[in-house]
Amino acid sequence: FNYELLPYERGLVMHRIGLTNIFDEVVAPGYYDLDLSVNEHRWISQELLHLALIEPGDNQVDVQYEGVGFDIPASWVQEVPRNGSLQIFYCRTKKVIEKVVQNGVYGGLKNPRWNGVHGVSLFVPEWQTKFVCPGTNQLEGTKWVGIAKLRNVKQKMKDKFKDADACFDQLDKDGGGELSRRELATGLFALGVYIHPSESEALMAILDEDGSGEVDREEFSAFWDMF
């Protein structure tokens, strides 16, 4: 048994339970897509900023604000803007994870339910298991970010198209059988699949396996099946 919730299922869970009730500073590593016009989302963004200040290491990776790469200013610790979209991959080193699980965060804020675990939880998505810090079920380091980013892109496509061929056919407007970087990015946008510049770069890097600058149907299908 290993089941990853679909986007609409995650949405239902968030709606019923509430994002602030789901969020736990002790197990913070993960991807956050936040709408800063929503009070709960602003609170979580500030919690992540506070954690980033007290925890060492490269913990806020590939931050995007309004679709653009962004360095969060120090002033946001006091007050986060009340509009805009913010995406953050929050990361921790193994050393930080082990310290947080043992001692809690903020010098003692500890979830009593997290006293260490044996093995990997069945609720950890299969693709994440190789990145999990033993005994914690938390994503370790930053290597998982690249895969998470590509899975985000794939999910956005999957929300619009039933399979790789259906998506490719809509993008390949001239029927030439290949897509340039520009065709891919502008085509997805025109079809209502909104991806950030860093996602576009990551997508093209893995799609264009032969380095030709073009993506054919076979390369596109291989990406779809992989993620």
Side-chain angles (χ1 to χ4, degrees):
F1 172 80
N2 191 297
Y3 180 73
E4 185 173 1
L5 295 178
L6 298 172
Y8 83 91
E9 292 172 326
R10 289 198 297 270
L12 289 172
V13 171
M14 299 270 185
H15 177 71
R16 292 297 298 271
I17 300 177
L19 194 55
T20 52
N21 291 321
I22 294 173
F23 179 75
D24 185 345
E25 291 89 345
V26 174
V27 286
Y31 172 67
Y32 297 85
D33 189 354
L34 304 170
D35 178 355
L36 300 183
S37 67
V38 178
N39 289 337
E40 286 185 325
H41 289 214
R42 285 201 306 278
W43 177 80
I44 288 174
S45 68
Q46 276 203 309
E47 288 299 292
L48 292 173
L49 291 175
H50 289 145
L51 288 175
L53 285 176
I54 64 175
E55 295 180 354
D58 191 11
N59 44 34
Q60 294 185 99
V61 178
D62 197 20
V63 177
Q64 302 277 317
Y65 179 58
E66 292 291 83
V68 179
F70 188 69
D71 291 325
I72 298 178
S75 60
W76 279 32
V77 175
Q78 301 300 322
E79 184 175 7
V80 174
R82 293 181 175 273
N83 55 66
S85 63
L86 179 69
Q87 291 78 35
I88 300 175
F89 291 91
Y90 194 83
C91 304
R92 280 176 175 152
T93 63
K94 181 179 180 180
K95 185 176 181 179
V96 171
I97 290 173
E98 291 174 341
K99 183 176 180 180
V100 166
V101 170
Q102 181 177 357
N103 303 322
V105 294
Y106 301 139
L109 179 59
K110 184 175 181 180
N111 186 333
R113 296 290 183 181
W114 287 96
N115 292 319
V117 295
H118 300 286
V120 177
S121 170
L122 293 175
F123 293 99
V124 173
E126 185 175 357
W127 73 269
Q128 292 184 4
T129 55
K130 66 180 179 180
F131 302 109
V132 166
C133 180
T136 69
N137 284 323
Q138 292 196 48
L139 291 165
E140 174 189 336
T142 60
K143 291 183 178 179
W144 61 272
V145 171
I147 294 178
K149 192 184 301 184
L150 291 168
R151 288 181 64 86
N152 287 346
V153 174
K154 160 70 181 298
Q155 187 60 59
K156 291 176 184 180
M157 294 181 187
K158 195 175 178 181
D159 288 344
K160 294 282 185 178
F161 306 100
K162 65 177 182 179
D163 56 34
D165 284 335
C167 185
F168 190 90
D169 288 341
Q170 287 295 312
L171 293 170
D172 187 22
K173 295 298 185 182
D174 61 7
E178 292 184 328
L179 301 171
S180 67
R181 182 185 295 267
R182 182 178 178 80
E183 281 181 307
L184 185 64
T186 59
L188 287 172
F189 183 82
L191 294 170
V193 180
Y194 306 118
I195 63 176
H196 306 302
S198 68
E199 291 177 331
S200 179
E201 291 176 10
L203 177 61
M204 196 63 188
I206 197 165
L207 283 175
D208 186 21
E209 293 182 346
D210 58 10
S212 66
E214 304 283 336
V215 177
D216 60 29
R217 186 181 297 273
E218 184 178 347
E219 289 172 322
F220 193 82
S221 294
F223 159 77
W224 193 281
D225 293 341
M226 185 183 301
F227 296 98

